[in-house]
Amino acid sequence: MGCMIRGLCLVLAIGLGASPARSQVDGSVTPLPFTSSAELRAATVAREVRALRAANPVAAAETAREMARHDYDTIFRGFLDGTPLRSDDAGDVLAAFVALQWMVANDSMTEPSPSALKAIRRTFVEPLAVKPPLSQPATRAAFAEQVKLRMVLHHAGWKAAKQLGVLPRFLATLSNEFIPASKLQALALTDEGLVGKGARRSALMPDAPPPVADARPTPPPTPAAPPPDAAQPPRHAANWDTVEGVYFRSTTGFGVGGMMTIDFEPLIFLRDGTYYEIADTALEDVDLSAERIAKPRRFGRWTRAAKGFVLTDSKGKSNDYALGDGSFFRAFPAASGESVKRSYRRLSGGGNTALGGSVSIAVESRYDFRPDGSYGRGGSVGAINSGGDSGVGTAIGRRRAPEGGRYALDRHTLTLTAADGRSRRVFFAYSSQKEPPEIDRDMIFIGDDVFSSDD
């Protein structure tokens, strides 16, 4: 995905700064045919999953599973049904994706008219026809397949963000992806193509290419207070008597290079009809009354629905969820005293290379659980600046100081006791799969972070 995005950023930057072509006057366009094949589409998906796996193994597994169930080519051709665009013309493919970018940035469900799509193809894509990769038949097909897959995944991400009630967060990540969202929101999609609102001239020819995302690092967040010492009895053990169930739902996150990824967050359903977005600390150590006052956004309300639940967040936004529908799942506890013989890994990060910038940050965290009750923990942080902004490339790396000791599992609590005797209790859960749900030990929650098995 990253390679394709960088390629598109380059192509779109060229297109945005291009001069009007002859075809914009006489209405003709250069045919850009390509041949799709099952082998090429399989290679495109494999490349996408391979790139995503390095940043987010859970999202990669989800993408691989969905692409095994659904043919993205069929979905893409469905997007073009009833339009003048052809699925075997790379220029038409790119024009369709530009139109989708506008729809996503403006959260518009209005289908572009045939005239609007033709205008985008003529005014936006045609100037790129003489430039690689569109000008080179040898690379055109691979490029077009990447755009098709990206369009299908982007459309799916848009739908998921709307369902999860995180559309503003989703849109915020598009500020410098291909065409800045702020620019698209200032445009109207008309029969003349994308034009400035209140203007009649095409707005796709700005004086300068879009800026890259700000590469300056953001200040680190204030460290959270450490969990209570597990050597002392839990002060709020009665919290579990008020619990109806433990679940988790999909949400969006940011991976290496600032790429948007699929993530998951655990939820505690309480019998009073509220839910709590639990963080690191085990529930029996949380003062829920104080937490409601200090962090009201972590609480919402739940009600049962025909196929699952309706969740209403602290702002009053409601969303429907059905168990096992791909975005809402039951979480499973560990057995009391259960031992584990697995290693789990989480990869996160930041930066802006996914948006055409030059900074990429990768953070790896790892737990190694052994059947004798011992554990080890490690990780690393790496950052690369290609020098695109400053002209000087840099790279830094640091390994996390190793940690180890003893662990104990008791349902939704993981107690970690370090070699120096200090101990802490954190929230724990296994994920689930299938319907009816079955325990899935390949993915776990430690606190509100998701870890996937290395096995």
Side-chain angles (χ1 to χ4, degrees):
M1 181 185 295
C3 179
M4 183 276 291
I5 289 178
R6 287 191 293 273
L8 270 180
C9 285
L10 175 61
V11 170
L12 293 175
I14 293 172
L16 285 169
S19 300
R22 176 186 61 82
S23 62
Q24 294 174 250
V25 178
D26 63 22
S28 64
V29 294
T30 303
L32 297 171
F34 71 96
T35 300
S36 181
S37 67
E39 292 77 12
L40 179 57
R41 293 193 295 273
T44 301
V45 171
R47 185 165 52 248
E48 174 82 7
V49 171
R50 187 166 56 249
L52 187 56
R53 185 177 292 118
N56 189 322
V58 174
E62 184 72 11
T63 299
R65 183 176 68 87
E66 290 300 315
M67 289 299 99
R69 294 172 53 195
H70 305 288
D71 177 18
Y72 78 82
D73 181 61
T74 300
I75 298 173
F76 176 81
R77 284 188 279 109
F79 290 157
L80 300 192
D81 284 349
T83 77
L85 302 180
R86 295 170 54 92
S87 62
D88 59 356
D89 184 283
D92 286 7
V93 169
L94 186 54
F97 187 62
V98 172
L100 177 67
Q101 284 280 305
W102 181 88
M103 293 175 68
V104 171
N106 289 276
D107 192 23
S108 172
M109 300 301 295
T110 302
E111 295 291 338
S113 69
S115 297
L117 293 172
K118 289 180 179 179
I120 291 175
R121 174 67 166 88
R122 183 175 64 252
T123 61
F124 182 81
V125 178
E126 185 60 23
L128 309 181
V130 296
K131 303 177 184 295
L134 293 179
S135 64
Q136 300 174 346
T139 59
R140 187 186 301 154
F143 173 79
E145 290 299 330
Q146 285 183 309
V147 176
K148 287 164 56 179
L149 177 58
R150 176 57 175 162
M151 182 171 175
V152 169
L153 294 176
H154 192 53
H155 183 265
W158 178 30
K159 289 175 59 180
K162 289 169 69 71
Q163 180 183 5
L164 294 170
V166 294
L167 185 58
R169 181 178 176 186
F170 179 78
L171 292 177
T173 68
L174 305 176
S175 58
N176 289 290
E177 188 178 26
F178 313 138
I179 304 172
S182 59
K183 182 175 183 64
L184 288 169
Q185 290 164 355
L187 303 180
L189 183 56
T190 73
D191 287 347
E192 296 180 5
L194 291 172
V195 301
K197 292 179 178 177
R200 295 188 59 81
R201 185 177 61 85
S202 173
L204 281 173
M205 298 297 171
D207 296 330
V212 298
D214 190 351
R216 292 173 295 181
T218 56
T222 302
D229 188 347
Q232 303 298 322
R235 298 179 60 187
H236 305 282
N239 283 349
W240 284 110
D241 296 334
T242 68
V243 172
E244 185 279 337
V246 182
Y247 303 89
F248 65 97
R249 65 181 173 187
S250 62
T251 184
T252 53
F254 298 95
V256 177
M259 179 178 61
M260 173 163 278
T261 60
I262 300 172
D263 209 344
F264 298 91
E265 61 181 6
L267 302 173
I268 307 293
F269 278 26
L270 303 172
R271 291 176 180 170
D272 64 358
T274 63
Y275 69 81
Y276 171 50
E277 298 173 4
I278 193 166
D280 191 56
T281 305
L283 186 65
E284 61 266 32
D285 289 317
V286 177
D287 184 337
L288 288 175
S289 297
E291 191 84 344
R292 289 180 193 272
I293 297 172
K295 301 175 182 177
R297 291 186 178 182
R298 286 193 170 272
F299 292 84
R301 298 199 63 81
W302 65 270
T303 56
R304 293 191 183 276
K307 295 183 179 180
F309 301 93
V310 176
L311 303 190
T312 304
D313 64 19
S314 60
K315 297 181 180 179
K317 175 74 173 180
S318 297
N319 288 283
D320 295 327
Y321 294 94
L323 275 173
D325 69 348
S327 61
F328 190 75
F329 309 86
R330 178 185 169 190
F332 278 83
S336 180
E338 179 178 343
S339 62
V340 182
K341 185 183 179 181
R342 285 197 180 188
S343 295
Y344 293 90
R345 176 174 175 262
R346 175 178 175 84
L347 189 64
S348 57
N352 57 19
T353 55
L355 308 177
S358 56
V359 176
S360 180
I361 302 170
V363 181
E364 182 197 30
S365 299
R366 183 184 181 93
Y367 279 91
D368 299 303
F369 295 103
R370 307 178 187 98
D372 64 356
S374 64
Y375 81 95
R377 186 181 182 189
S380 61
V381 178
I384 298 175
N385 187 328
S386 66
D389 299 321
S390 64
V392 179
T394 57
I396 60 173
R398 177 175 61 84
R399 287 195 173 277
R400 177 192 180 113
E403 172 190 327
R406 309 289 298 176
Y407 74 91
L409 285 168
D410 185 5
R411 297 188 61 76
H412 285 296
T413 300
L414 169 64
T415 301
L416 299 172
T417 303
D420 61 5
R422 290 182 298 174
S423 60
R424 59 194 180 103
R425 285 182 290 263
V426 296
F427 173 77
F428 178 88
Y430 286 115
S431 66
S432 63
Q433 59 181 345
K434 301 182 180 180
E435 183 58 33
E438 298 177 1
I439 190 169
D440 180 7
R441 288 182 168 82
D442 287 336
M443 189 175 94
I444 63 173
F445 290 88
I446 299 180
D448 56 354
D449 287 332
V450 178
F451 289 78
S452 57
S453 173
D454 275 354
D455 297 343

